[in-house]
Amino acid sequence: MSSEQRLSIQALPFWANGGKEDNMTENNVPSWDLSDLYNGPDDGRIEADLQRAEDLAITFKASYRGRIKAGDLSADLLCQAMADYRAILELLYKADSYADLLFAADTSKPENGALMQKVSERVSQISTHLIFIDLELGQISDSLWEKLQKDGRLAEYRHTIEQERLQHKYALSEAEETVLEETANCRGRAFARLFTETVSRLKFPITIGGETKELNQSELSALFYKPDRELRRQAAQVQSQVLQEHIHPLHFAYSTIILEKLTMNRLRGFTYPEESRHLANELPAAAIETMVNVVVQNYASVARFYRLKKKLLGLDELFHYDRYAPLPQKSQAEVSFAQAKQTVLEAFGEFSPLFREKAETFFSQGWIDAAMRSGKRGGAFCAGITPSLHPYILMNFTATPRDVETLAHELGHGIHDILASKQNIFNYHPVLPLAETASTFCELLVFHKLLKELPDAASKLALASEHLESLFATVFRQVAMYRFEQRVFRQRSEQGELTHEQMSDIWQDSLQEMFGDSVTMGEDHRITWSYIPHFIHTPFYVYAYAFGELLVLALYARYRQEGAPFIEKYIEFLSSGGALTPQEMLAKLNIDITKAEFWQGGCDLIQEEIKEAEALAAALNENAADDSPVSPSGWGEGDNDGWDGYGEDEDDIMAARPDWDEE
């Protein structure tokens, strides 16, 4: 099992709940049923599966070590080896996933952490018997591989073997790889766990309506979407204060992860920090550089929108805590989970009956955990485990309209996983840049359904503005975060360990560049890099969001042009999983990701949405002149009598949405 595969098991966020009879809360928000994996932490099948995996791995090594790289390797032997390898991975993925689920359900329970650590150590030990296979697959000679791949039985393994051959250049010896795997749980993985436990246990004390509450990160983030500006400012201040109180372990964990990655890059022969991420994503560096450059060149679009929002809110200056302030036209009504479910299923059904059918299964079979619980990890994600095991969705449903799109996003991931389940375990997960295509596409389906059904320009403007802010978070902010990582790694290489103040300076500069003079990133914003999990679990992951969002904008535009013929091609695209490289898959749709024009096309679509928002605002101004409404100077200042809900900002959602295959 490669280090990339092993990491995918370890870092994924999960949480668990009880059986089918107990999968609804008192507010009819579901918690999921994990009995399709195991019946509980004491289920003897966990140890039985691990022991069987170990026995199979020992036999596997004895049977195939030295024979895969041999010059007389036959197609028969290679087919059997890959089939046996698959069987072992199925067992390991299942057991390790379940342990992670329990830990993420409540990180404060020592027994959950102990189980996760125990299983993780067992998986690492078992994996040492498998290290040889990836190394030997990479050592198959060009001439022999050319001969072997003519055998049709190897077609389903072609992509996997070719990627191992590409990565072999950066592999160490089997003995060295074994040492790295044996020590992984007391190196980077240990600091990733420290980070997760620290952030999950943070409490943010804040006074709301005369009552002091202790909120978790997701609950606190909800306040940035409230109309009361003073409440938003207070939330930003409290967030900064609490993060500052815990900055030592957070900074130390990140610094250690950076050093470990730089060290591993040097030992493996990578020439720059993000090179290994590009290789894992199966993308040419030039394509990513082109995309990033185009997005940066379009930063002015972000500033253009926020200048408009500043006028709509009647403010002289926008601060970072004003970014997600609702426009006065935005409804503050809560959305029930039943309403969210109905909206999403209807939007999916209008696109494709197959999409609705697949999504309905998640609700009926208890595959969704949306209930808020103490100790539960924040954010939202969908976790696909193996082709033979269905995916699970986790989100923190807070009864806000934003949650409707979040539910659609995660169901998009789930549908993608189900469609790709016809692939083998090696080809099941698409690489990161394609992992967001179905999820983001499904968000667009819901957004356009809601926009079409709104009765007036004011409501449309509020929804359009919220959607634009989501686009900015997914495209421009993720590129800014990627550039933050690049700068931090580069300065660490050149100067040695950075202080947390230096990291904060880089963070502040990277984000301020995106907003220009339209938003002031205040002092309380400086430290907010310190709780973003992608930086810890998956360095340089974040550009995949921008890639996926811009790609989906292009795909959605094509859907609106072509209609039904596109749907068939799109389902085929999703069903491919990770069986082809992104370039191979997208070439079938006549998309060339190396061209700046393609990426600019996506940015142009965002600019069109900004123009539409400006037109809606202009129309409202004309109506305001006729109707003499309340002065806009008070917009965004109401609703200061308390706290009526939760929500999540993009730091929680975007940073906690990594799919299984990328971790």
Side-chain angles (χ1 to χ4, degrees):
M1 181 163 46
S2 70
S3 59
E4 191 74 17
Q5 289 170 317
R6 179 62 188 89
L7 190 56
S8 75
I9 300 172
Q10 174 61 26
L12 272 182
F14 281 112
W15 51 94
N17 198 57
K20 286 188 171 68
E21 299 93 354
D22 190 35
N23 71 340
M24 296 293 287
T25 67
E26 61 182 0
N27 296 319
N28 291 321
V29 179
S31 296
W32 57 23
D33 168 31
L34 295 175
S35 61
D36 287 340
L37 296 176
Y38 299 102
N39 290 327
D42 298 326
D43 191 332
R45 293 179 298 160
I46 300 175
E47 176 57 34
D49 281 350
L50 288 171
Q51 186 58 55
R52 175 158 175 74
E54 183 172 15
D55 293 342
L56 289 173
I58 292 172
T59 301
F60 182 81
K61 184 176 182 179
S63 300
Y64 298 111
R65 185 169 181 247
R67 301 177 68 189
I68 303 301
K69 64 181 179 181
D72 60 350
L73 173 66
S74 68
D76 286 339
L77 182 68
L78 185 54
C79 282
Q80 187 59 54
M82 295 301 288
D84 292 348
Y85 191 14
R86 288 168 59 174
I88 299 169
L89 294 183
E90 290 272 354
L91 292 168
L92 292 179
Y93 280 32
K94 179 182 177 183
D96 205 20
S97 300
Y98 187 73
D100 285 343
L101 278 165
L102 292 178
F103 175 68
D106 189 348
T107 62
S108 66
K109 285 188 175 181
E111 57 268 32
N112 289 353
L115 177 64
M116 185 189 70
Q117 187 68 17
K118 176 184 177 181
V119 174
S120 181
E121 290 175 7
R122 284 291 305 280
V123 172
S124 287
Q125 185 271 322
I126 295 168
S127 297
T128 62
H129 300 296
L130 306 174
I131 287 172
F132 80 91
I133 183 66
D134 294 326
L135 297 175
E136 293 198 20
L137 287 173
Q139 293 174 288
I140 299 174
S141 69
D142 293 344
S143 58
L144 180 56
W145 175 236
E146 183 177 356
K147 175 184 175 182
L148 289 171
Q149 62 180 314
K150 293 178 181 178
D151 191 307
R153 293 172 299 168
L154 286 171
E156 65 173 314
Y157 303 119
R158 179 194 64 82
H159 180 68
T160 300
I161 295 173
E162 289 185 348
Q163 291 307 308
E164 291 296 347
R165 285 162 51 76
L166 288 174
Q167 295 193 37
H168 181 69
K169 173 183 176 182
Y170 306 100
L172 303 179
S173 69
E174 183 179 347
E176 291 167 328
E177 295 286 0
T178 300
V179 169
L180 289 175
E181 183 59 43
E182 290 272 21
T183 60
N185 291 306
C186 51
R187 293 187 291 106
R189 290 178 197 159
F191 286 97
R193 175 182 170 183
L194 172 64
F195 170 88
T196 298
E197 292 191 13
T198 300
V199 172
S200 296
R201 298 176 186 182
L202 292 180
K203 294 296 181 183
F204 300 88
I206 188 168
T207 301
I208 304 171
E211 180 183 356
T212 299
K213 301 174 180 285
E214 283 200 342
L215 310 182
N216 61 30
Q217 180 61 53
S218 292
E219 294 167 337
L220 184 80
S221 295
L223 303 185
F224 295 122
Y225 294 84
K226 305 300 289 181
D228 184 352
R229 194 184 195 199
E230 175 55 28
L231 183 59
R232 298 195 304 267
R233 186 201 63 78
Q234 185 184 356
Q237 184 179 56
V238 169
Q239 181 184 55
S240 178
Q241 290 173 347
V242 172
L243 290 174
Q244 188 66 48
E245 291 169 1
H246 295 83
I247 193 59
H248 177 68
L250 297 176
H251 168 257
F252 189 75
Y254 189 34
S255 295
T256 302
I257 295 292
I258 292 172
L259 178 58
E260 181 183 54
K261 181 165 180 58
L262 288 172
T263 302
M264 293 308 305
N265 282 352
R266 174 175 54 80
L267 293 174
R268 293 188 181 280
F270 290 110
T271 56
Y272 55 94
E274 58 270 38
E275 186 176 10
S276 59
R277 174 54 51 202
H278 298 335
L279 181 64
N281 286 346
E282 302 173 14
L283 288 170
I288 301 307
E289 184 179 356
T290 298
M291 180 201 71
V292 169
N293 288 340
V294 169
V295 170
V296 172
Q297 291 165 9
N298 284 270
Y299 271 178
S301 297
V302 180
R304 177 177 175 176
F305 170 78
Y306 278 104
R307 291 190 191 101
L308 170 65
K309 185 166 186 176
K310 180 167 61 176
K311 293 179 182 179
L312 293 173
L313 292 175
L315 299 175
D316 294 329
E317 183 176 10
L318 279 183
F319 287 93
H320 61 283
Y321 51 78
D322 295 318
R323 287 172 293 166
Y324 307 111
L327 297 183
Q329 298 86 357
K330 177 179 170 60
S331 171
Q332 296 300 308
E334 291 191 350
V335 179
S336 70
F337 190 82
Q339 290 172 316
K341 171 185 174 181
Q342 179 180 349
T343 298
V344 169
L345 290 179
E346 288 178 356
F348 286 9
E350 291 170 6
F351 172 71
S352 165
L354 178 65
F355 267 49
R356 175 167 184 148
E357 174 192 334
K358 300 301 183 186
E360 284 179 329
T361 308
F362 282 81
F363 297 100
S364 63
Q365 297 300 312
W367 299 350
I368 300 175
D369 188 338
M372 295 282 286
R373 293 193 299 274
S374 177
K376 181 179 178 181
R377 289 188 61 163
F381 58 82
C382 176
I385 303 172
T386 70
S388 62
L389 295 168
H390 61 76
Y392 293 91
I393 286 173
L394 179 140
M395 63 179 293
N396 287 275
F397 189 79
T398 62
T400 66
R402 183 183 179 89
D403 289 330
V404 182
E405 290 188 46
T406 299
L407 178 61
H409 182 104
E410 302 311 331
L411 281 167
H413 279 305
I415 293 170
H416 197 168
D417 286 333
I418 291 175
L419 291 175
S421 64
K422 69 178 185 180
Q423 304 292 337
N424 63 46
I425 197 168
F426 304 110
N427 297 335
Y428 177 42
H429 294 108
V431 293
L432 298 187
L434 298 186
E436 296 298 326
T437 50
S439 57
T440 308
F441 193 93
C442 286
E443 269 193 271
L444 278 176
L445 292 175
V446 170
F447 164 70
H448 284 286
K449 175 179 173 58
L450 294 174
L451 189 66
K452 180 175 63 177
E453 295 177 350
L454 289 174
D456 55 73
S459 299
K460 290 179 185 291
L461 175 60
L463 182 62
S465 297
E466 192 172 77
H467 184 249
L468 279 167
E469 288 165 356
S470 177
L471 289 175
F472 297 152
T474 311
V475 177
F476 298 99
R477 182 180 175 86
Q478 300 308 307
V479 165
M481 291 166 67
Y482 174 66
R483 283 156 61 86
F484 162 76
E485 290 185 278
Q486 288 180 307
R487 291 166 175 172
V488 166
F489 272 80
R490 182 172 64 249
Q491 291 192 29
R492 175 62 176 85
S493 299
E494 297 170 352
Q495 304 173 17
E497 183 170 294
L498 304 181
T499 65
H500 68 81
E501 290 90 351
Q502 289 175 300
M503 291 184 179
S504 295
D505 288 341
I506 300 170
W507 174 250
Q508 199 78 335
D509 290 344
S510 299
L511 273 293
Q512 191 66 67
E513 288 172 358
M514 166 185 154
F515 290 101
D517 61 1
S518 65
V519 178
T520 299
M521 312 308 287
E523 283 298 304
D524 290 336
H525 177 267
R526 289 172 51 80
I527 201 171
T528 53
W529 58 268
S530 62
Y531 78 95
I532 298 177
H534 277 18
F535 298 158
I536 299 292
H537 295 300
T538 326
F540 303 108
Y541 167 86
V542 291
Y543 76 69
Y545 284 118
F547 186 109
E549 184 73 62
L550 292 174
L551 171 60
V552 165
L553 287 172
L555 293 175
Y556 194 82
R558 187 172 296 183
Y559 158 59
R560 301 183 80 171
Q561 293 170 356
E562 300 178 11
F566 170 86
I567 296 174
E568 183 177 346
K569 290 185 288 186
Y570 186 58
I571 290 174
E572 181 183 356
F573 171 82
L574 297 178
S575 300
S576 298
L580 301 169
T581 68
Q583 281 185 289
E584 290 171 333
M585 293 178 67
L586 294 172
K588 293 185 175 183
L589 299 174
N590 297 317
I591 291 174
D592 186 350
I593 60 174
T594 66
K595 301 295 185 182
E597 293 80 7
F598 169 73
W599 302 112
Q600 185 59 51
C603 291
D604 289 343
L605 291 172
I606 295 175
Q607 291 178 22
E608 289 179 15
E609 286 201 30
I610 296 173
K611 291 177 182 178
E612 291 171 3
E614 291 172 336
L616 288 168
L620 286 176
N621 282 338
E622 291 177 5
N623 292 335
D626 295 335
D627 300 336
S628 300
V630 177
S631 168
S633 62
W635 287 5
E637 304 304 320
D639 192 29
N640 58 0
D641 58 342
W643 181 40
D644 60 2
Y646 305 109
E648 298 167 307
D649 72 358
E650 85 287 347
D651 287 328
D652 294 305
I653 293 179
M654 294 303 167
R657 273 182 175 167
D659 251 12
W660 177 272
D661 50 310
E662 61 85 9
E663 292 277 6

